[in-house]
Amino acid sequence: MKLSPLYPWASASRRLADLNGFWKFQFDPESSGEVEGWTKRLPAPVFLPVPSSFADFFTDKDFREYSGDFWYATEFFVPNEWQSREISLRFAAATHRAVVFVNGQEAAAHEGGFTPFVVPLGKTVKWDEPNTLTVKCNNELREDCIPIGITATLQNGKKMAKPYFDFFNYAGLLRPVTLIALPKEHITDFTVRHELSGNKALVHYNVETTGDNNVTVAVFDEDGKQVAAGEGKDGIISIDNARLWNVRDAYLYKFVFRITDGGTIIDEYSEDIGIRTVEVRGTDILLNGKPVYLKGFGKHEDSDINGRGYNPAVIKRDFELMKWTGANSFRTAHYPYSEEIYQMADREGFLVIDEVAAVGMMTSTLNFMDAANGKPTAFFQKETTTRLLKNHLAAIEELIRRDKNHASVIAWRLANEPETTDESALPYLEEVFAHARSLDAQERPCTFTSLMTATPDKCGCVQLCDVVCLNRYYGWYVKGGYEIGDAENWLRGELEGWKNKCPGKPFVFSEYGADTDGTLHKLPSVMWSQEYQIEYLDMCHRVFDSFDFIKGEQVWNFADFQTTEGIMRVDGNRKGIFTRSRQPKAAAFYLKMRWENLPCDYKANNSNK
Ligand code: CKX
């Protein structure tokens, strides 16, 4: 059976039931739930909302910091009228792994906390009667899974997450759960690739189904007028005078895919699709053949109380704030985001660098700081590497399968700050890049973000990147405060090195930032003050502006976000341009002034204009 990555939209042929709401929940620190029969019934549950992260609901620190197994349970009904259909459950994200039981029987297991999976229900389902659904989740960090870390056991026997990354290990059923009833013969997936030819757009499409009946495609413009059609599972649809999807000027066509048998519609699935091309030519990133300069943020899915849980209100606020600053792009640091975020990016014309959760590819117990200080850790030479690679490749496959049709997604970010200074990184990343490239029909650029210590003389993997992405903190982790003048020289020096090492590639600053207390003002500035954040950003921008091959700036971070506690963080990472409650720091007004005045084709090479 083919399991579909498609978003659960209802249609003339598709039925959905939303299973979100309060579910039963119980921690299982002994991992004894299965033998004790929790697959059928949780013995002493509390009630928690789904979707959400569990960590910030409780007042007991043991619960916030909990690492291990935890269970959810609910009931659902499947109406008799659906007996002729194929029934499944779709989990948009269960972090970091889950085993699903339906009526006490194991129905599916999934590794990876940020991509959807579908559980076919088959004969286990009871019609018009309550079905029990229990899910055993686990949030333990491991060196062979992404995101990477370890789970330590404290002297009191409690487990604790030790992430090799800098964000809180929020977990749970983070995203919606949906009951889906499809016709037996149905569409499981589709892929589009766009080609521009004068005023015409050619959309190469492929539709996958579970049967052999005929497939048709109808394309409607935003006024609901049909503008093109196609027939067959593969084909090319030609749209005359196509209105292209563009930066902050999105246009979406409705593609309606149908399986038909004579005059009968067997299945129907629609999606709003933007038509655009993306490519890298010389040092330019081209959208529809025109150079674009990325202005925007590295983000997190992170908010008060709900942690990393799906939060449509925060999603909306974030887009409004990004628009207000004049941004045109963001990166989904450090994992695939909720599908609704890409849908909104499609609608709003934002350029997205879409990231797999391969973060923490360095060994460090002081989360990411040892490696950031240049301590060699030979991360890719571990006994766990083969298993890690397998999980990493699977996660890339799920990411690309899920997000491949979004116009907003212009590049794949295949790893964050891997330890590319060690020669064992190259064969590992070569496989990762080759795999991603083999999966994307749109042949989007692929990249990783480069760690501070991977300077031009030390990085052995940059040649894999179509766009070179630098995470640099001169003026913060290196030469901060009164030494900022030296920081500027060091940054310039490094960029001269890159110019020689990679002539003819575009560079994007995928991280640069300074921790800032949203309440602290100081004249003259000190590090952590709002004045220093502006001085720091201004220094970086002065440098970026003087190198033609820098084709984008994504400041770290859009908003303050929660991390593991420690001496490096004051209730989280404070590099936000906005506070965690999404109010502006002074730097937000500074950035707005800069970005509103930078043209979209800033620094375009004349030959590509
Ligand atoms: N880059 C020295 C990864 C992000 C962190 C950021 C930071 C680091 C910097 C690496 O996840 O939050 O320290 O602010």
Side-chain angles (χ1 to χ4, degrees):
M1 176 187 302
K2 289 181 188 168
L3 296 180
S4 171
L6 295 178
Y7 190 79
W9 299 116
S11 74
S13 58
R14 298 179 162 229
R15 302 285 173 268
L16 307 177
D18 177 349
L19 297 191
N20 304 320
F22 276 89
W23 290 35
K24 291 178 183 152
F25 177 89
Q26 192 165 345
F27 293 113
D28 181 11
E30 308 300 331
S31 289
S32 56
E34 248 176 281
V35 284
E36 289 174 16
W38 295 21
T39 53
K40 297 200 181 89
R41 188 180 158 272
L42 302 186
V46 294
F47 283 82
L48 275 196
V50 170
S52 69
S53 306
F54 66 77
D56 288 347
F57 294 135
F58 300 104
T59 51
D60 184 331
K61 193 158 177 173
D62 284 344
F63 296 155
R64 189 187 71 200
E65 301 295 324
Y66 181 84
S67 253
D69 291 347
F70 49 96
W71 291 71
Y72 289 87
T74 193
E75 284 182 350
F76 63 94
F77 279 82
V78 190
N80 248 331
E81 305 86 271
W82 290 2
Q83 289 234 20
S84 60
R85 291 170 173 270
E86 193 172 295
I87 313 295
S88 59
L89 291 165
R90 184 184 196 268
F91 291 80
T95 313
H96 294 291
R97 54 194 65 86
V99 186
V100 178
F101 301 88
V102 177
N103 297 324
Q105 301 292 312
E106 181 173 330
H110 184 257
E111 171 64 42
F114 304 101
T115 38
F117 61 97
V118 173
V119 183
L121 293 188
K123 295 198 173 61
T124 46
V125 75
K126 296 190 213 158
W127 308 99
D128 261 354
E129 273 183 61
N131 288 270
T132 59
L133 168 60
T134 50
V135 186
K136 180 175 78 165
C137 293
N138 176 283
N139 65 346
E140 284 173 60
L141 297 176
R142 298 165 27 177
E143 286 191 329
D144 61 357
C145 294
I146 58 174
I148 301 155
I150 50 168
T151 303
T153 304
L154 305 179
Q155 288 183 353
N156 62 12
K158 290 176 183 161
K159 289 187 200 159
M160 180 184 177
K162 296 270 185 183
Y164 294 176
F165 51 84
D166 184 35
F167 52 90
F168 194 85
N169 187 37
Y170 283 119
L173 295 179
L174 297 185
R175 298 179 190 155
V177 184
T178 316
L179 176 67
I180 304 181
L182 300 179
K184 286 271 186 277
E185 184 174 355
H186 58 264
I187 295 159
T188 52
D189 199 4
F190 76 94
T191 307
V192 289
R193 176 172 68 82
H194 313 290
E195 188 187 333
L196 308 180
S197 161
N199 283 344
K200 207 183 260 182
L202 300 175
V203 183
H204 300 249
Y205 74 90
N206 165 269
V207 182
E208 292 175 33
T209 73
T210 55
D212 296 322
N213 272 305
N214 189 38
V215 168
T216 63
V217 189
V219 183
F220 299 85
D221 67 15
E222 286 189 357
D223 297 325
K225 191 170 134 234
Q226 183 163 350
V227 293
E231 179 130 14
K233 288 189 179 184
D234 296 283
I236 303 175
I237 296 171
S238 172
I239 303 176
D240 287 331
N241 299 315
R243 180 139 169 218
L244 301 184
W245 185 93
N246 241 309
V247 195
R248 300 289 299 107
D249 180 23
Y251 192 87
L252 299 175
Y253 289 93
K254 183 169 287 303
F255 279 61
V256 182
F257 301 96
R258 290 195 181 110
I259 303 177
T260 56
D261 183 7
T264 317
I265 297 173
I266 298 174
D267 188 25
E268 179 181 283
Y269 182 83
S270 319
E271 196 86 72
D272 291 338
I273 303 277
I275 296 174
R276 57 98 189 92
T277 59
V278 57
E279 85 189 93
V280 168
R281 196 184 305 148
T283 62
D284 278 334
I285 302 167
L286 305 179
L287 192 85
N288 302 326
K290 299 261 183 295
V292 287
Y293 185 88
L294 306 186
K295 307 176 270 184
F297 301 96
K299 290 187 90 263
H300 263 296
E301 279 186 289
D302 172 276
S303 61
D304 201 18
I305 302 175
N306 202 2
R308 192 149 293 116
Y310 172 60
N311 195 333
V314 169
I315 293 173
K316 176 65 182 163
R317 173 74 175 171
D318 285 5
F319 272 92
E320 290 307 312
L321 291 176
M322 286 195 289
K323 289 192 286 186
W324 175 82
T325 61
N328 63 12
S329 70
F330 62 93
R331 63 180 279 218
T332 69
H334 287 300
Y335 36 81
Y337 286 2
S338 300
E339 290 150 289
E340 295 76 4
I341 294 180
Y342 303 81
Q343 290 160 7
M344 196 172 279
D346 284 348
R347 261 195 311 273
E348 298 281 8
F350 272 82
L351 306 171
V352 176
I353 300 188
D354 201 3
E355 205 154 312
V356 72
V359 53
M361 308 200 105
M362 53 180 81
T363 298
S364 168
T365 42
L366 225 191
N367 56 55
F368 54 98
M369 278 315 289
D370 286 351
N373 289 333
K375 186 173 146 196
T377 63
F379 181 81
F380 294 102
Q381 293 181 34
K382 286 170 173 283
E383 174 269 318
T384 43
T385 304
T386 316
R387 296 195 305 278
L388 174 67
L389 178 60
K390 196 166 154 259
N391 284 321
H392 191 169
L393 297 179
I396 289 174
E397 215 161 307
E398 292 188 8
L399 171 77
I400 295 182
R401 242 188 126 200
R402 190 193 73 164
D403 294 343
K404 64 189 169 189
N405 294 319
H406 286 289
S408 55
V409 174
I410 57 153
W412 307 111
R413 166 83 31 78
L414 304 176
N416 180 70
E417 298 173 342
E419 193 188 48
T420 57
T421 47
D422 188 87
E423 58 184 25
S424 56
L426 185 58
Y428 182 101
L429 288 176
E430 275 174 344
E431 262 201 68
V432 163
F433 273 68
H435 193 55
R437 289 194 166 113
S438 74
L439 295 169
D440 183 18
Q442 294 192 5
E443 297 181 348
R444 291 169 177 92
C446 292
T447 179
F448 62 80
T449 55
S450 150
L451 178 67
M452 265 157 65
T453 49
T455 44
D457 50 323
K458 297 211 183 80
C459 178
C461 301
V462 67
Q463 63 280 10
L464 297 173
C465 295
D466 300 307
V467 178
V468 181
C469 293
L470 301 178
N471 293 358
R472 291 296 180 273
Y473 289 90
Y474 296 104
W476 186 253
Y477 291 122
V478 179
K479 302 275 170 205
Y482 194 44
E483 295 179 86
I484 196 167
D486 290 357
E488 178 166 349
N489 292 337
W490 282 34
L491 178 56
R492 285 182 191 280
E494 187 181 331
L495 289 175
E496 291 294 344
W498 285 118
K499 191 158 112 187
N500 294 330
K501 180 157 178 166
C502 304
K505 282 206 186 199
F507 277 61
V508 167
F509 272 81
S510 39
E511 280 184 29
Y512 61 108
D515 283 271
T516 303
D517 175 347
T519 65
L520 182 66
H521 284 288
K522 198 89 181 176
L523 189 63
S525 72
V526 289
M527 291 172 81
W528 293 89
S529 69
Q530 302 203 46
E531 288 68 25
Y532 187 75
Q533 190 177 32
I534 294 176
E535 281 168 34
Y536 166 89
L537 293 173
D538 205 37
M539 178 279 283
C540 293
H541 295 148
R542 199 159 51 239
V543 177
F544 302 169
D545 290 345
S546 54
F547 288 87
D548 285 348
F549 60 88
I550 309 291
K551 293 297 164 71
E553 49 193 66
Q554 294 186 322
V555 72
W556 192 251
N557 189 283
F558 171 75
D560 294 347
F561 58 92
Q562 196 52 261
T563 63
T564 306
E565 61 190 332
I567 51 169
M568 295 279 299
R569 299 289 176 251
V570 188
D571 189 25
N573 187 309
R574 298 301 185 100
K575 294 192 183 69
I577 297 301
F578 295 91
T579 62
R580 201 178 187 214
S581 53
R582 273 53 181 185
Q583 293 304 330
K585 297 182 190 171
F589 299 93
Y590 160 81
L591 272 182
K592 177 175 169 63
M593 191 97 93
R594 172 175 170 81
W595 286 346
E596 284 185 340
N597 289 303
L598 277 191
C600 191
D601 66 350
Y602 182 48
K603 290 197 249 178
N605 288 316
N606 282 330
S607 55
N608 289 328
K609 270 193 177 175

